[in-house]
Amino acid sequence: MTTHPNESDERTERTDEHDDAESGEPTAADEEGAAAAADDEPEIVDGRTIEHLLTDHERDIAATAKGTDATAAKRPTLDLPRLELGRRDFMKAGAVAGAMGSLAGCTSILADEDGEDDGGAAASGDHTVPPGEHDEYYGFLSGGHTGEIRVVGLPSMRELMRIPVFQAESARGFGHDARTSELLEEAGGYTWGDTHHPRVSQTDNDYDGRWLFVNDKANGRMARVDLKYFETDAITNVPNCQGVHGACMQLPDTQLVFGVGEFRVPMPNDGRDVDDPDEYGSVLTAIDPETMDIEWQVQVDGNMDNGDGGKEGRWFFATGYNSEEGVTEAEMTRSDRDYVKAFDIPAIWDAVENGDYEEISGVPVVDGRKESSLNQGDRPIVRYVATPKSPHGISVTPDGKYAIASGKLDPSCTVIGVEEIAEVDDPQDAILGQPRIGMGPLHTAYDDRGHAYTTCFIDSVVVKWDYEEAVEAEAGSEEPVIERHDVHYNPGHLIAAESYTASPQGDYLISLNKLSKDRFLPVGPIHPENDQLFYIGDDDAGMQLIKDKPSYPEPHDASVVHKDKIEPAKTWDPDDYELDFVEEGDESFERVDENTVEIEMWARRNEFAFPEVELREGDEVTIRISNVETTSDVIHSLAIPEYDINLALAPQDTREVTFTADEPGVFWAYCAYFCSALHLEMRSRILVQPDE
Amino acid sequence: MTTHPNESDERTERTDEHDDAESGEPTAADEEGAAAAADDEPEIVDGRTIEHLLTDHERDIAATAKGTDATAAKRPTLDLPRLELGRRDFMKAGAVAGAMGSLAGCTSILADEDGEDDGGAAASGDHTVPPGEHDEYYGFLSGGHTGEIRVVGLPSMRELMRIPVFQAESARGFGHDARTSELLEEAGGYTWGDTHHPRVSQTDNDYDGRWLFVNDKANGRMARVDLKYFETDAITNVPNCQGVHGACMQLPDTQLVFGVGEFRVPMPNDGRDVDDPDEYGSVLTAIDPETMDIEWQVQVDGNMDNGDGGKEGRWFFATGYNSEEGVTEAEMTRSDRDYVKAFDIPAIWDAVENGDYEEISGVPVVDGRKESSLNQGDRPIVRYVATPKSPHGISVTPDGKYAIASGKLDPSCTVIGVEEIAEVDDPQDAILGQPRIGMGPLHTAYDDRGHAYTTCFIDSVVVKWDYEEAVEAEAGSEEPVIERHDVHYNPGHLIAAESYTASPQGDYLISLNKLSKDRFLPVGPIHPENDQLFYIGDDDAGMQLIKDKPSYPEPHDASVVHKDKIEPAKTWDPDDYELDFVEEGDESFERVDENTVEIEMWARRNEFAFPEVELREGDEVTIRISNVETTSDVIHSLAIPEYDINLALAPQDTREVTFTADEPGVFWAYCAYFCSALHLEMRSRILVQPDE
């Protein structure tokens, strides 16, 4: 039942059966040319379009987009330049075509390309990373109710960095300088958040390494991390919605970021309808990834949960629970069915443009509830697919053919056809398979060989299964199941390397287990979680448990990105921020008026521009400070004790802080980053003369 | 030049030469009995005292302590019960005797005992920890300017837990419930701290696993972590002092915790003497480990830095810089000499009891400056030992014979005799050796075989050397150096397993390197640090680099404790906190008056006691909540979105929070710890009715 990536397998044969492509398979020479040119500037060498691969409906959408400039700007979904095949665009077309299951051999093309990258740690059979060697992948883990993102390396599972997102954090000075503290303040002033689903931006259904997006389940927000600097650079406060649970995107090019609203609340939640749950609502929120502005929301029935975008750009899928619209656990779990919601993104754009929305809290809210008139015609904006009890995770297969939802309170997964969802009259007919997986199936990840891997919370296993076989098999059959591997214990999410792209790597998988029990040295009543790394690259040998990694509560989900797709800056580029850089020699101290002081200064190894700063009690003081170092890793900080300030300054970075000098005395500001042998002597004496 | 632990070596021979013990060596049978009974209740089986091992001076101190009950209570230093040899007390005497270098063979006794524990990871020669197996050691790393403590396992170097100390942190709910938020508020209300030196409490010069103490260099505080719960339970705000740098203790029984004050500031620092650096002072602060109250301070000349307690309980050593008492880097580094200060703890107690102090900010401050009258007689309270330029780290050898200071701006280490410091007329005569180690020597750790390991910041090496040989060799000789091993890059502190006890384990050592440069996947301009693990148990093979561990900025120092010496609780014991536990059935909602609500509730898998809580806008609400689970690792939390609250609740824990319900609306409080398949449905609907 297991298949080898280099062998023709049953899945490929089945793909062939479904094949409706007319022609145009690339030759091996074409593939090599495309791969070699992949890093070059996009260049149109061939006017072929892939329009023949689209359904009639998709062709209509593309035509509409072409015809309306304003719409096209807001609708990068199937924008036409991408429909013309250049050398680079060939890659896009391959992904899109693969997503539709309509270009024979496409999946194996991608697999071959992956083969080169997989070579390193995986091929050697040794999953260690000796001192001084680099990991193969970045793992971006959410930090759950720490409010942060964590960066780990795979396969070492070493934590490389933390990125504070929704909380102030002193080592990186996040929330200590003016820019980041304003960011947190404007996003509601909360001191924490609950990050769940980190997703890295994609171009052509592959990671582009530009941004990472993550939700705040607690306070209904969405944040963006700039992967050039590994720093949070935007937070959007989402109205009409308490908890943004899923954080996902429209593919293939991250045209929109989606916040999947969970808790049903009054809209707006300002004291109205407090006692009337019938009036509560839950919304999907579409956010522009560039501006982080909210474009629109769609109100739906029931609570929503997780989501994932179809590879082809039209559909977005979200699971949900509480179709009963109850307010207690008993009420919420009464029904045997809940819904997967399939959002037709172009149709929603049309509704917004047609004015078919209500503006609530300044946002256009489109009515996507089952009974909405927008769902009654032949082009409903939301299709409701009834699936067994409280489907939890949902993810689209790399080939784009299926959205697979996990049952949570039902032992099955539900395989929904992406192409079919657009074509069937009754959404239930889009259900193509429903294998029995195990107790408490929560989330599903993919390799590059047609396998799905599903966590079962109650069984404490990861189940490997064949999703094409599930389409062939009877509903409720266990036949597609290839292997069950124990995890320790009670897994929530899992993630395979590049599982969310059209071309997963197929080598590593992390199971994010909520309980660790006895797996680590005891550290008191608050246990770490246990993120277990598996090697999944050898179908004959089966899943291999490589590492237990204790994790501070509570990593919730992750994305795993190949190292070649992230290109962080080593030092700051002053052009990337608004503040003026302070060069050595340009330092200044200015008393602007009676009680206002403006200081511009720099830091370099062993000294601050001013060894001494004299203030008067009550002064309003603004300090702008640049790290003039150009050598990477020579970081300084400006710690101002008693005034509760610590500005971290990477090379070429400039930060600003304003404080009131309300405590008289002598305060030795110092550098908290150990920077040289004279680090201890690096300081500035702040004299605050008493007001008498 | 290298020696093997099981061979008679030069060091042992030299110890024999220095041997001045008259008799009383325990037999092998005694040793076995003592080891076997070590965990029993202390029992006096033999009235032998070790008074014959003491110097005349120490005998005087012991007699004084015996004669004055009140003094004895405050002076556990050489309290008499420990001077009588019981089965358990034999261990203490062994340590004390070893510390004085006066009981032949003592060091090898300790080494033999260690041998049993070392067996595991070290003996196998395989330093991996496979999934499901436990580490051998706890490493407690400070988090620098994160304000936290981190717990790692050795040799896996996996981070097992974070312990927030000086900052609020939402995943553990630290600073979110009443008790811990009051703790932070009463300690000054700062949002961050700069933890440098974590030290685990000792009994008999060995870790007792009770507490961990750590300083805040930024805001002058000292915190205590309860190692039963791995939670910070006390923070002391230290007056007359801006930055508490070193955090150390009086040994052998953690009679006092010492905060080594760094920055010279006016005393008190309230606006007086702002312009007059001559009036600034720097203090050593003695804190009672049980009450965390400040007992006394000693003012000294110059800035202080790191410190370590002598094994015998009388002396405490601190390094220092800026003997020039300058206020700029140039002024501070002008002199070629700075001082190691040796504090005579019983003499300081005498001064306090004699009223020889000035009370400043409510604390008795004893004048320990060089010119103080208290330093002029034959029993100075502080002895100033001039050593080359800005000595930085200082640590006492496991046998208690030497305090070794590292030169920082001088390539040498200075070996100071602990017994000698009490006996010589001129403190300079206590300098017994001064080997040339390398450029920028900062800190020194020890194995169980007479070797010192010193980090050299500028050379980026750890230097292994023989400290007895350094006593024999000419000053400035490199002869004692055995090995130099590159580290990557620029190490600050280093720590060997149990190096701060009388019986280091001798197998693992961590070099805490400040720069990582290119050692890990790039993560933007803020780099991780690199904590490198070495196996040092094979003198023939030399130091072996085992692992690079990236660390979030900025682990500063660490203590490494054998796993058998820490016994954390798996669940909370309600007797350990003041709040009443709320059993199922005892939940209550009480409107105490017009706008005051008191709620007592519980949490268990899938539900809170109240699925719904109705409040009125403006209500002052206090919630007390217990986790009624008894199964370890089944953690819940009470997250109250929009109200910025997240209470973590380990099994049997009870927490309380008070907030004002000033935002009308519907707020779904939920459990942020993934606790069961119905975790998502575990919630309480908080209705805040608008005030109209």
Side-chain angles (χ1 to χ4, degrees):
Chain A
M1 187 167 272
T2 60
T3 59
H4 190 277
N6 294 330
E7 289 169 10
S8 171
D9 58 19
E10 283 188 4
R11 185 181 46 75
T12 306
E13 285 159 26
R14 282 196 216 101
T15 305
D16 293 344
E17 285 166 26
H18 285 267
D19 184 7
D20 60 5
E22 292 161 13
S23 68
E25 292 90 334
T27 65
D30 287 341
E31 293 164 35
E32 283 173 24
D39 291 330
D40 293 346
E41 278 292 289
E43 187 190 340
I44 307 296
V45 294
D46 183 337
R48 285 183 299 166
T49 72
I50 58 163
E51 284 194 334
H52 65 284
L53 300 176
L54 304 179
T55 62
D56 287 346
H57 194 166
E58 284 156 347
R59 239 173 255 124
D60 290 346
I61 297 161
T64 309
K66 197 188 278 181
T68 321
D69 274 1
T71 313
K74 293 234 170 195
R75 269 188 187 175
T77 317
L78 287 170
D79 59 308
L80 285 198
R82 284 204 318 101
L83 293 177
E84 300 184 3
L85 281 175
R87 282 195 298 176
R88 180 178 164 89
D89 290 326
F90 165 79
M91 301 296 293
K92 300 182 190 177
V96 172
M100 294 173 190
S102 51
L103 207 165
C106 178
T107 306
S108 63
I109 295 170
L110 296 170
D112 288 347
E113 285 172 5
D114 291 344
E116 294 178 16
D117 281 334
D118 280 352
S124 71
D126 175 3
H127 308 286
T128 61
V129 181
E133 292 193 17
H134 284 192
D135 278 293
E136 195 71 9
Y137 296 102
Y138 289 90
F140 295 95
L141 276 69
S142 59
H145 44 129
T146 59
E148 71 191 17
I149 289 292
R150 300 167 194 164
V151 187
V152 302
L154 273 69
S156 76
M157 294 301 275
R158 297 177 295 193
E159 189 173 294
L160 301 170
M161 187 45 60
R162 304 180 197 165
I163 306 172
V165 178
F166 293 114
Q167 86 282 26
E169 198 284 316
S170 50
R172 293 189 59 143
F174 191 75
H176 282 245
D177 72 302
R179 185 168 79 228
T180 57
S181 57
E182 280 164 19
L183 188 67
L184 290 174
E185 196 52 46
E186 285 169 9
Y190 308 108
T191 65
W192 72 290
D194 192 359
T195 56
H196 275 213
H197 307 285
R199 291 285 178 273
V200 173
S201 56
Q202 299 194 28
T203 299
D204 307 338
N205 279 309
D206 198 4
Y207 293 125
D208 59 21
R210 189 170 178 198
W211 289 314
L212 178 145
F213 300 92
V214 70
N215 68 304
D216 173 14
K217 164 164 164 150
N219 306 305
R221 296 179 292 179
M222 185 74 72
R224 185 179 69 189
V225 174
D226 176 356
L227 290 180
K228 180 173 181 184
Y229 295 116
F230 278 54
E231 182 170 298
T232 304
D233 74 345
I235 304 178
T236 297
N237 220 330
V238 180
N240 307 323
C241 163
Q242 176 186 306
V244 174
H245 191 181
C248 333
M249 53 189 62
Q250 184 185 10
L251 296 174
D253 295 319
T254 315
Q255 300 95 317
L256 289 172
V257 174
F258 289 117
V260 183
E262 183 180 351
F263 306 99
R264 298 179 71 250
V265 288
M267 297 168 55
N269 192 11
D270 59 0
R272 73 186 69 187
D273 304 327
V274 163
D275 281 329
D276 192 355
D278 289 344
E279 291 298 313
Y280 296 1
S282 176
V283 292
L284 178 78
T285 304
I287 299 170
D288 182 305
E290 297 273 352
T291 64
M292 288 296 279
D293 290 338
I294 297 173
E295 297 283 2
W296 40 256
Q297 295 182 317
V298 180
Q299 183 179 355
V300 297
D301 290 314
N303 287 31
M304 284 189 292
D305 200 342
N306 291 278
D308 197 15
K311 305 295 186 214
E312 85 305 330
R314 174 174 170 190
W315 295 99
F316 180 80
F317 299 90
T319 52
Y321 62 108
N322 193 21
S323 56
E324 305 87 346
E325 305 201 335
V327 293
T328 64
E329 183 207 303
E331 290 169 7
M332 289 182 203
T333 56
R334 193 175 293 143
S335 167
D336 278 345
R337 301 256 139 189
D338 282 285
Y339 294 100
V340 167
K341 286 136 191 155
F343 296 84
D344 187 336
I345 301 166
I348 296 166
W349 274 118
D350 279 349
V352 171
E353 281 150 26
N354 294 336
D356 290 337
Y357 61 81
E358 182 184 356
E359 190 170 304
I360 307 176
S361 312
V363 175
V365 181
V366 180
D367 187 353
R369 287 176 292 186
K370 275 203 294 283
E371 304 306 322
S372 162
S373 61
L374 293 170
N375 282 335
Q376 305 313 320
D378 62 349
R379 200 177 163 223
I381 61 168
V382 184
R383 308 210 78 179
Y384 285 74
V385 185
T387 69
K389 212 155 183 169
S390 300
H392 187 67
I394 190 159
S395 52
V396 174
T397 54
D399 57 19
K401 290 169 69 178
Y402 311 113
I404 297 181
S406 309
K408 189 169 85 169
L409 305 185
D410 182 273
S412 71
C413 283
T414 298
V415 181
I416 298 168
V418 175
E419 197 169 351
E420 288 76 3
I421 198 76
E423 294 176 348
V424 294
D425 291 328
D426 179 355
Q428 297 310 111
D429 293 339
I431 296 179
L432 304 183
Q434 211 158 57
R436 184 185 172 88
I437 300 299
M439 295 300 286
L442 291 188
H443 296 280
T444 300
Y446 306 102
D447 66 18
D448 56 341
R449 304 176 304 278
H451 302 123
Y453 299 79
T454 301
T455 47
C456 290
F457 181 85
I458 296 170
D459 281 348
S460 278
V461 296
V462 170
V463 180
K464 176 180 179 180
W465 53 287
D466 184 313
Y467 56 81
E468 286 293 355
E469 191 154 336
V471 171
E472 300 293 309
E474 294 275 309
S477 166
E478 292 189 28
E479 209 177 304
V481 172
I482 296 166
E483 181 184 1
R484 295 174 192 278
H485 201 298
D486 284 345
V487 297
H488 311 85
Y489 305 91
N490 299 84
H493 276 265
L494 85 174
I495 182 70
E498 307 205 326
S499 176
Y500 289 111
T501 72
S503 47
Q505 297 275 353
D507 47 5
Y508 290 110
L509 176 147
I510 307 173
S511 174
L512 301 171
N513 309 313
K514 312 316 287 183
L515 305 187
S516 65
K517 294 277 185 192
D518 51 1
R519 300 286 285 190
F520 306 112
L521 285 182
V523 290
I526 301 281
H527 288 235
E529 307 208 344
N530 185 8
D531 299 337
Q532 289 187 301
L533 179 72
F534 286 87
Y535 178 63
I536 57 169
D538 184 341
D539 289 327
D540 294 331
M543 298 173 64
Q544 297 164 45
L545 175 59
I546 306 297
K547 281 202 172 67
D548 274 28
K549 181 208 175 285
S551 269
Y552 191 67
E554 176 159 344
H556 195 92
D557 189 10
S559 288
V560 174
V561 181
H562 192 272
K563 63 178 160 68
D564 293 344
K565 296 175 187 172
I566 307 282
E567 289 182 28
K570 295 273 189 182
T571 62
W572 275 86
D573 178 349
D575 289 341
D576 282 346
Y577 48 74
E578 288 179 5
L579 296 173
D580 286 338
F581 191 85
V582 184
E583 301 281 359
E584 285 186 77
D586 288 349
E587 64 271 16
S588 65
F589 176 102
E590 190 181 356
R591 183 166 289 279
V592 181
D593 61 32
E594 177 67 16
N595 270 109
T596 308
V597 171
E598 289 178 5
I599 299 170
E600 298 178 5
M601 60 192 278
W602 45 258
R604 64 165 162 77
R605 264 161 287 192
N606 305 357
E607 57 178 323
F608 295 109
F610 296 109
E612 190 173 308
V613 171
E614 191 161 339
L615 303 172
R616 295 200 289 255
E617 186 178 350
D619 277 349
E620 174 98 347
V621 184
T622 298
I623 298 178
R624 178 151 51 83
I625 179 168
S626 300
N627 178 349
V628 299
E629 309 275 358
T630 54
T631 307
S632 73
D633 206 5
V634 180
I635 307 164
H636 298 297
S637 90
L638 176 66
I640 310 183
E642 313 286 344
Y643 283 99
D644 208 30
I645 293 163
N646 191 32
L647 305 184
L649 297 159
Q652 296 293 302
D653 195 6
T654 301
R655 302 276 167 169
E656 194 172 88
V657 67
T658 298
F659 65 98
T660 305
D662 49 10
E663 295 181 60
V666 176
F667 306 99
W668 295 91
Y670 66 97
C671 171
Y673 272 90
F674 202 135
C675 55
S676 80
L678 280 169
H679 161 70
L680 213 59
E681 288 80 358
M682 180 173 172
R683 63 182 65 176
S684 179
R685 187 168 59 129
I686 299 182
L687 311 175
V688 183
Q689 297 284 3
D691 184 19
E692 277 161 324
Chain B
M1 190 168 269
T2 61
T3 58
H4 190 278
N6 294 330
E7 290 171 7
S8 172
D9 59 17
E10 283 189 4
R11 184 181 49 76
T12 306
E13 286 162 23
R14 282 196 214 102
T15 305
D16 291 344
E17 286 168 22
H18 284 269
D19 183 9
D20 60 5
E22 290 162 13
S23 67
E25 293 91 333
T27 65
D30 286 341
E31 293 163 34
E32 283 172 25
D39 291 330
D40 293 347
E41 278 292 286
E43 187 192 342
I44 306 297
V45 295
D46 183 336
R48 286 184 298 166
T49 73
I50 59 162
E51 284 194 336
H52 66 285
L53 301 176
L54 305 178
T55 62
D56 286 346
H57 194 170
E58 284 154 349
R59 238 175 255 124
D60 289 347
I61 297 161
T64 308
K66 198 187 278 181
T68 320
D69 274 359
T71 312
K74 293 236 173 198
R75 271 189 185 174
T77 318
L78 288 169
D79 60 309
L80 284 199
R82 282 203 320 100
L83 292 178
E84 300 184 1
L85 281 176
R87 283 194 297 176
R88 181 178 164 88
D89 289 327
F90 164 77
M91 302 296 293
K92 301 183 190 178
V96 172
M100 295 173 188
S102 50
L103 208 164
C106 178
T107 305
S108 62
I109 295 170
L110 297 169
D112 287 348
E113 286 170 4
D114 292 342
E116 295 177 16
D117 281 335
D118 279 354
S124 71
D126 176 2
H127 309 285
T128 62
V129 181
E133 291 192 17
H134 284 192
D135 277 294
E136 194 74 10
Y137 296 101
Y138 290 90
F140 295 95
L141 276 69
S142 59
H145 44 128
T146 60
E148 70 192 17
I149 289 292
R150 299 167 195 164
V151 187
V152 301
L154 275 68
S156 77
M157 295 300 276
R158 296 177 297 192
E159 189 172 294
L160 302 169
M161 186 48 60
R162 303 180 198 165
I163 306 172
V165 179
F166 293 115
Q167 86 282 29
E169 197 285 316
S170 50
R172 294 191 58 144
F174 191 76
H176 282 245
D177 73 302
R179 185 168 79 230
T180 57
S181 56
E182 280 163 20
L183 187 67
L184 290 174
E185 197 50 46
E186 286 169 9
Y190 307 107
T191 66
W192 73 288
D194 192 359
T195 57
H196 275 213
H197 307 285
R199 292 285 179 270
V200 174
S201 57
Q202 300 194 27
T203 300
D204 307 338
N205 279 310
D206 198 3
Y207 292 125
D208 58 22
R210 191 170 176 197
W211 289 313
L212 177 146
F213 300 93
V214 70
N215 68 306
D216 172 14
K217 164 163 166 152
N219 306 304
R221 298 178 291 180
M222 184 75 74
R224 184 177 71 190
V225 173
D226 176 357
L227 290 180
K228 181 173 181 183
Y229 296 115
F230 278 54
E231 183 171 298
T232 305
D233 74 345
I235 304 177
T236 297
N237 219 332
V238 179
N240 307 324
C241 164
Q242 175 185 307
V244 174
H245 191 180
C248 334
M249 53 189 62
Q250 183 184 13
L251 296 174
D253 295 320
T254 315
Q255 300 97 315
L256 290 171
V257 175
F258 289 117
V260 183
E262 183 179 350
F263 304 98
R264 299 180 69 249
V265 287
M267 297 170 55
N269 191 11
D270 58 0
R272 74 186 67 187
D273 302 328
V274 163
D275 280 328
D276 192 356
D278 289 345
E279 290 299 311
Y280 296 179
S282 176
V283 292
L284 177 78
T285 304
I287 298 170
D288 182 305
E290 297 272 352
T291 64
M292 289 295 281
D293 290 338
I294 296 172
E295 297 283 3
W296 41 255
Q297 295 183 318
V298 180
Q299 183 179 355
V300 297
D301 291 313
N303 287 31
M304 283 190 293
D305 200 342
N306 291 278
D308 196 15
K311 305 295 187 213
E312 85 304 330
R314 175 174 170 189
W315 293 99
F316 180 81
F317 299 89
T319 51
Y321 61 108
N322 192 21
S323 57
E324 305 86 346
E325 304 200 336
V327 293
T328 65
E329 184 208 300
E331 289 168 9
M332 290 182 201
T333 55
R334 193 173 295 141
S335 168
D336 278 345
R337 302 255 138 188
D338 283 285
Y339 293 100
V340 167
K341 285 136 191 156
F343 295 84
D344 187 337
I345 302 166
I348 296 165
W349 274 118
D350 279 350
V352 172
E353 281 151 25
N354 293 337
D356 289 337
Y357 62 80
E358 181 183 358
E359 191 170 304
I360 306 177
S361 312
V363 174
V365 179
V366 180
D367 188 352
R369 288 175 291 186
K370 276 201 294 281
E371 303 305 323
S372 162
S373 61
L374 293 170
N375 281 335
Q376 305 315 320
D378 62 350
R379 201 178 163 223
I381 61 169
V382 183
R383 307 210 78 176
Y384 286 72
V385 185
T387 68
K389 212 154 182 170
S390 300
H392 186 67
I394 189 160
S395 52
V396 173
T397 54
D399 58 18
K401 289 169 68 177
Y402 311 113
I404 298 182
S406 308
K408 190 170 86 168
L409 305 186
D410 182 274
S412 70
C413 283
T414 299
V415 181
I416 299 168
V418 174
E419 196 169 352
E420 287 76 3
I421 198 76
E423 294 176 347
V424 294
D425 290 328
D426 178 354
Q428 297 310 111
D429 293 339
I431 296 179
L432 304 183
Q434 211 158 56
R436 185 185 172 89
I437 299 300
M439 293 302 286
L442 291 188
H443 296 280
T444 300
Y446 306 102
D447 66 19
D448 56 341
R449 304 177 304 279
H451 303 122
Y453 300 79
T454 301
T455 47
C456 291
F457 181 85
I458 297 170
D459 281 348
S460 277
V461 295
V462 170
V463 179
K464 176 180 178 180
W465 53 286
D466 183 314
Y467 56 80
E468 287 292 355
E469 190 153 335
V471 170
E472 299 295 307
E474 295 275 312
S477 167
E478 292 189 28
E479 209 177 305
V481 172
I482 297 166
E483 182 184 359
R484 295 175 192 277
H485 200 299
D486 284 345
V487 296
H488 313 85
Y489 305 91
N490 299 85
H493 275 264
L494 85 174
I495 181 70
E498 307 205 324
S499 176
Y500 289 111
T501 72
S503 48
Q505 297 276 353
D507 47 5
Y508 290 111
L509 175 146
I510 307 172
S511 174
L512 302 171
N513 309 315
K514 310 318 286 182
L515 304 189
S516 64
K517 293 276 185 192
D518 51 2
R519 299 287 284 190
F520 306 112
L521 285 183
V523 289
I526 301 280
H527 288 235
E529 308 208 344
N530 185 8
D531 300 336
Q532 290 188 301
L533 179 72
F534 287 86
Y535 179 63
I536 56 168
D538 184 339
D539 289 327
D540 293 331
M543 298 174 64
Q544 296 163 44
L545 174 60
I546 306 298
K547 281 201 172 67
D548 273 29
K549 182 207 174 287
S551 270
Y552 191 68
E554 175 160 342
H556 196 92
D557 188 11
S559 288
V560 175
V561 181
H562 192 269
K563 65 177 158 68
D564 292 346
K565 296 174 187 173
I566 307 282
E567 290 182 27
K570 295 272 190 182
T571 63
W572 273 87
D573 179 349
D575 290 341
D576 282 346
Y577 48 75
E578 288 180 5
L579 296 174
D580 286 337
F581 190 83
V582 184
E583 301 280 359
E584 284 186 77
D586 288 349
E587 62 273 17
S588 66
F589 177 101
E590 192 181 355
R591 184 166 286 281
V592 182
D593 61 34
E594 178 68 16
N595 269 109
T596 309
V597 171
E598 289 178 5
I599 299 170
E600 298 179 3
M601 60 191 279
W602 43 258
R604 64 167 162 76
R605 262 161 289 191
N606 306 356
E607 56 178 325
F608 294 110
F610 296 110
E612 190 174 307
V613 171
E614 191 161 341
L615 303 171
R616 294 199 290 256
E617 187 179 348
D619 277 349
E620 175 99 346
V621 185
T622 298
I623 298 178
R624 178 152 49 84
I625 179 167
S626 299
N627 177 351
V628 300
E629 309 276 357
T630 53
T631 307
S632 74
D633 205 4
V634 180
I635 307 164
H636 298 296
S637 89
L638 177 67
I640 309 184
E642 314 286 343
Y643 282 100
D644 208 30
I645 293 163
N646 190 31
L647 305 184
L649 297 159
Q652 297 291 302
D653 195 6
T654 300
R655 301 277 166 167
E656 194 171 87
V657 67
T658 297
F659 64 98
T660 304
D662 50 12
E663 295 182 59
V666 176
F667 306 99
W668 294 91
Y670 67 96
C671 170
Y673 272 92
F674 203 135
C675 54
S676 80
L678 281 169
H679 160 70
L680 214 58
E681 289 80 359
M682 179 172 173
R683 63 182 64 176
S684 181
R685 187 168 59 128
I686 299 182
L687 311 175
V688 182
Q689 297 285 2
D691 184 18
E692 279 160 322

